[in-house]
């Protein structure tokens, strides 16, 4: 009986020790996270997890990952680490923070004050994560006007989410310095109308333009290269670009002295827009403008240092009037008897090759320098299945948009050309790309396209036409908004770190 009692007492003591040790372990764990997340001081207007974008190189989109610790929680863990490092946990004298409140005194800290740039970068980080989530998800965003879908888009869901994010938060600051006609002005009714219409529309826009520079994600340099050529360039100078470049250098020097933003990002969040052929050469005046800034160019020629990763290809639109009602529309594919058509000047390195092989050579492919009298250019586009779009003096051509407007499948004949909005649109699904070296085989290439494939391409041309249409005022998903969206995408590719004075791509 005494042995049984001894066993019982020993067992009870053993259980008591186990419970006691377990309780100490639990208390130690509670101490590290003693402040609940709801009571941690934070800036309500700026989520704590967004601050990580300033210091983290990788964007984490895994929703199951725990959020970064707040500043005060990190301080507590650092104190606990210090205790363990000094061996205080092994002390025979137990310190109870409740009995001795000064034992682990934590100085109260106010909420972290974030700079405007940090807030901007954090919001951009959220947009990146949202776009990535949409690109891999099955859920389709609702939209009362248009939901992108189909093989014309590289990733229709990512594009739609990105467009909605742009509408929600994208802000552009337009520098007000400079006087018309060189600044804040541009052509609106000729071959370079993309230049003037964008300047005009962005300056009167209330959704995307902000007059508070501290809230802007990008900064627009509102000079017109076409106007620089018209008013500054000396025609007898034999293509001397120096006066044009000097004007741009002086302007950038002015705004970089007056505002901190150009030097803060080394121009990575600034953009210029030009449809004139000399747009790229104008940017060469300033290394930051050429190498860092976003250049929205019609002349998107990779052999002339166009960089698709940071630059934007915009369409060349020859607006005869300040509206496109008479330009848009065409018959069904069954009412297009002509295989292919082109009319335009025989100049540049590419068009002479087209004229050499196809001018007056085949009744199925009509190639003209000048159309006969009483023959309408747009009527010829509308009766053709394919519209040839060879480069002229430079790679861009208004023939591309003219073909799309009239429902004619564009045939891009060029080398080193990046078509507009290629970051979103898959041009191979609705156009034909022919290298200059294959021009002699042009008819064979076009006739080798099955009727079924041609009908698909023609139908897709009609579906993506809205992205190239000019409207005043602009309409959602039209060319003005697509240009803005391309600039928005390039800004998402850049992180600007104010403290270190650098930008990262």
């Amino acid at each position: 009986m005494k042995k049984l009692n001894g066993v019982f007492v020993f067992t009870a003591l053993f259980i008591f020790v186990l419970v006691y040790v377990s309780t100490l372990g639990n208390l130690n764990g509670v101490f590290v996270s003693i402040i609940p997340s709801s009571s941690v001081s934070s800036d309500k207007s700026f989520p704590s997890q967004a601050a990580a974008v300033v210091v983290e190189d990788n964007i984490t989109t895994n929703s199951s990952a725990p959020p970064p610790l707040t500043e005060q929680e990190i301080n507590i863990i650092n104190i606990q680490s210090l205790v363990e490092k000094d061996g205080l946990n092994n002390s025979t004298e137990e310190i109870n923070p409740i009995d001795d409140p000064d034992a682990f005194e934590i100085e109260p800290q106010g909420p972290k004050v974030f700079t405007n740039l940090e807030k901007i970068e954090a919001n951009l980080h959220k947009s990146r994560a949202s776009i990535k989530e949409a690109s891999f998800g099955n859920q389709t965003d609702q939209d009362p006007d248009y939901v992108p879908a189909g093989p014309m888009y590289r990733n229709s869901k990512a594009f739609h989410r990105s467009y909605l994010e742009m509408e929600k938060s994208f802000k552009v600051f337009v520098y007000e310095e400079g006087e018309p006609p060189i600044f804040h002005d541009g052509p609106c009714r000729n071959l370079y109308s993309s230049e003037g219409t964008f300047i005009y529309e962005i300056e009167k826009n209330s959704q995307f333009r902000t007059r508070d520079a501290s809230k802007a994600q990008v900064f627009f340099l509102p000079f017109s290269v076409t106007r620089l050529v018209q008013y500054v360039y000396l025609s007898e100078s034999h293509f001397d670009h120096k006066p044009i470049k000097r004007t741009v250098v002086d302007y950038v020097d002015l705004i970089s002295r007056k505002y901190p933003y150009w030097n803060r990002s080394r121009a990575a969040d600034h953009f210029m827009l030009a449809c004139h052929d000399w747009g790229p050469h104008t940017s060469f005046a300033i290394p930051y403008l050429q190498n860092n800034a976003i250049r929205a160019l019609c002349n998107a020629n990779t052999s002339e240092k166009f960089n698709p990763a940071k630059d934007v290809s915009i369409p060349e639109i020859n607006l005869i009037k300040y509206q496109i009602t008479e330009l848009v529309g065409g018959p069904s594919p069954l009412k297009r008897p002509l295989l292919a058509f082109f009319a335009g000047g025989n100049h540049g390195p590419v068009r002479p090759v087209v004229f050499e092989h196809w001018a007056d050579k085949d009744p199925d492919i009509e190639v003209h320098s000048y159309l006969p009298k009483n023959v309408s250019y747009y009527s010829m586009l509308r009766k053709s299945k394919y519209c040839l779009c060879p480069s002229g003096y430079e790679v861009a051509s208004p023939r591309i948009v003219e073909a799309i407007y009239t429902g004619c499948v564009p045939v891009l004949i060029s080398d080193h050309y990046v078509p507009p909005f290629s970051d979103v649109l898959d041009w191979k699904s609705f156009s034909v790309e022919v290298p200059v070296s294959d021009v002699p085989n042009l008819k064979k290439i076009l006739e080798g396209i099955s009727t079924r494939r041609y009908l698909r391409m023609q139908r897709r041309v009609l579906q993506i036409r809205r992205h190239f249409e000019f409207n005043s005022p602009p309409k959602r998903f039209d060319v003005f908004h697509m240009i803005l969206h391309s600039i928005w995408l390039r800004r998402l590719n850049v992180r600007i770190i104010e403290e270190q004075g650098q930008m990262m791509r």
Side-chain angles (χ1 to χ4, degrees):
M1 187 69 178
K2 290 183 179 181
K3 290 183 179 180
L4 289 175
N5 289 337
V7 171
F8 175 78
V9 172
F10 178 78
T11 303
L13 288 172
F14 181 72
I15 293 174
F16 175 76
V17 171
L18 285 178
V19 172
Y20 179 74
V21 172
S22 176
T23 303
L24 286 178
N26 289 336
L27 286 174
N28 191 44
V30 170
F31 176 70
V32 178
S33 57
I34 194 169
I35 299 180
S37 58
S38 60
S39 64
V40 176
S41 176
S42 62
D43 188 348
K44 300 295 183 182
S45 62
F46 188 61
S48 60
Q49 61 265 31
V53 75
V54 179
V55 295
E56 295 291 340
D57 290 332
N58 298 324
I59 302 172
T60 303
T61 59
N62 183 3
S63 59
S64 64
L69 294 170
T70 64
E71 185 178 13
Q72 207 162 1
E73 287 171 331
I74 291 173
N75 286 340
I76 294 173
I77 291 178
N78 289 339
I79 292 175
Q80 178 68 6
S81 301
L82 181 63
V83 170
E84 295 174 354
K85 180 180 178 181
D86 291 343
L88 295 180
N89 279 350
N90 298 327
S91 173
T92 56
E93 182 180 356
E94 183 178 352
I95 302 176
N96 189 335
I98 298 178
D99 296 336
D100 186 2
D102 295 329
F104 295 98
E105 182 178 359
I106 303 174
E107 295 184 3
Q109 297 185 5
K112 177 176 171 56
V113 178
F114 294 95
T115 65
N116 287 325
L117 177 60
E118 288 175 327
K119 294 179 182 180
I120 289 172
E121 289 297 330
N123 287 328
L124 291 173
H125 174 63
K126 290 181 182 178
S127 295
R128 293 186 199 104
S130 177
I131 296 167
K132 286 186 176 182
E133 180 183 15
S135 65
F136 295 109
N138 296 320
Q139 184 178 359
T140 301
D141 290 307
Q142 301 299 313
D143 198 301
D145 295 325
Y146 179 68
V147 177
M152 308 85 69
Y153 301 99
R154 295 186 179 277
N155 189 318
S156 59
K157 293 179 181 178
F159 165 53
H160 195 200
R161 180 67 61 82
S162 176
Y163 187 91
L164 295 177
E165 289 288 331
M166 175 192 76
E167 288 186 315
K168 182 173 65 176
S169 61
F170 195 35
K171 295 299 178 185
V172 179
F173 180 77
V174 181
Y175 287 110
E176 297 184 359
E177 287 68 25
E179 298 292 335
I182 295 174
F183 302 92
H184 309 285
D185 188 24
C188 294
R189 295 183 184 178
N190 65 14
L191 187 64
Y192 307 122
S193 61
S194 293
E195 192 173 298
T197 54
F198 182 86
I199 293 173
Y200 176 75
E201 295 297 342
I202 191 63
E203 293 213 340
K204 70 175 186 177
N205 186 277
S206 59
Q207 178 182 4
F208 297 104
R209 183 182 182 182
T210 177
R211 297 184 183 275
D212 184 350
S214 66
K215 296 180 179 179
Q217 289 105 333
V218 294
F219 301 81
F220 180 42
L221 304 170
F223 58 81
S224 167
V225 175
T226 304
R227 292 290 190 247
L228 284 167
V229 175
Q230 183 178 356
Y231 292 103
V232 177
Y233 171 69
L234 303 177
S235 58
E236 65 275 11
S237 65
H238 303 290
F239 300 102
D240 183 6
H241 297 160
K242 290 180 182 177
I244 294 176
K245 292 181 177 180
R246 190 178 304 113
T247 303
V248 175
V249 169
D250 290 343
Y251 186 76
V252 170
D253 182 65
L254 171 66
I255 59 104
S256 65
R257 290 176 182 273
K258 187 172 181 180
Y259 304 91
Y261 308 108
W262 174 275
N263 292 323
R264 180 186 70 177
S265 67
R266 301 175 188 175
D269 54 0
H270 285 60
F271 76 96
M272 61 169 282
L273 186 142
C275 209
H276 195 279
D277 295 348
W278 292 359
H281 295 280
T282 302
S283 72
F284 297 164
I286 306 173
Y288 281 176
L289 184 58
Q290 174 189 338
N291 300 320
N292 294 350
I294 302 167
R295 300 179 303 163
L297 304 171
C298 286
N299 186 14
N301 189 342
T302 56
S303 68
E304 294 183 1
K305 301 181 181 180
F306 180 86
N307 180 3
K310 76 167 190 68
D311 296 328
V312 171
S313 174
I314 63 176
E316 192 168 280
I317 303 176
N318 187 10
L319 281 182
I320 301 173
K321 300 179 180 179
Y322 203 67
Q323 48 84 28
I324 60 171
T325 305
E326 300 176 4
L327 309 180
V328 175
S332 69
L334 299 178
K335 297 180 180 180
R336 295 175 179 266
L338 188 61
L339 179 64
F341 165 75
F342 171 76
N346 185 6
H347 54 71
V350 177
R351 292 184 184 180
V353 180
V354 176
F355 276 85
E356 177 187 353
H357 288 90
W358 297 108
D360 301 321
K361 298 292 178 62
D362 194 305
D364 293 329
I365 299 180
E366 292 198 24
V367 174
H368 304 271
S369 290
Y370 298 97
L371 286 173
K373 291 183 178 180
N374 301 322
V375 176
S376 166
Y377 174 70
Y378 275 88
S379 68
M380 292 297 295
L381 293 175
R382 291 185 173 98
K383 68 183 291 187
S384 304
K385 291 182 174 67
Y386 299 95
C387 291
L388 308 183
C389 308
S391 297
Y393 287 119
E394 297 294 347
V395 292
S397 170
R399 305 302 187 282
I400 298 174
V401 173
E402 292 165 352
I404 292 174
Y405 279 2
T406 56
C408 185
V409 175
V411 180
L412 311 185
I413 305 175
S414 63
D415 293 327
H416 314 295
Y417 179 52
V418 179
F421 316 135
S422 295
D423 39 27
V424 169
L425 299 177
D426 184 359
W427 280 80
K428 292 183 179 179
S429 71
F430 60 89
S431 70
V432 181
E433 297 180 4
V434 178
V436 178
S437 59
D438 279 343
V439 167
N441 304 317
L442 184 60
K443 185 174 182 179
K444 181 180 179 180
I445 292 171
L446 297 181
E447 289 186 332
I449 298 173
S450 67
T451 301
R452 183 179 179 182
R453 183 185 170 198
Y454 161 71
L455 292 175
R456 285 201 303 263
M457 287 194 295
Q458 200 272 344
R459 183 174 64 252
R460 293 165 184 169
V461 166
L462 301 181
Q463 290 176 288
I464 58 91
R465 185 167 63 194
R466 68 173 63 235
H467 301 318
F468 295 86
E469 292 180 351
F470 165 77
N471 299 289
S472 184
K475 297 179 181 179
R476 298 183 69 223
F477 295 99
D478 69 0
V479 68
F480 171 78
H481 289 93
M482 290 297 289
I483 292 173
L484 268 183
H485 180 260
S486 292
I487 296 168
W488 157 257
L489 285 182
R490 300 315 186 276
R491 180 60 179 89
L492 286 175
N493 288 338
V494 177
R495 289 197 315 110
I496 302 170
I497 305 174
E498 189 171 30
E499 291 81 359
Q500 300 177 17
Q502 64 180 357
M503 62 90 180
M504 299 179 63
R505 291 191 188 276

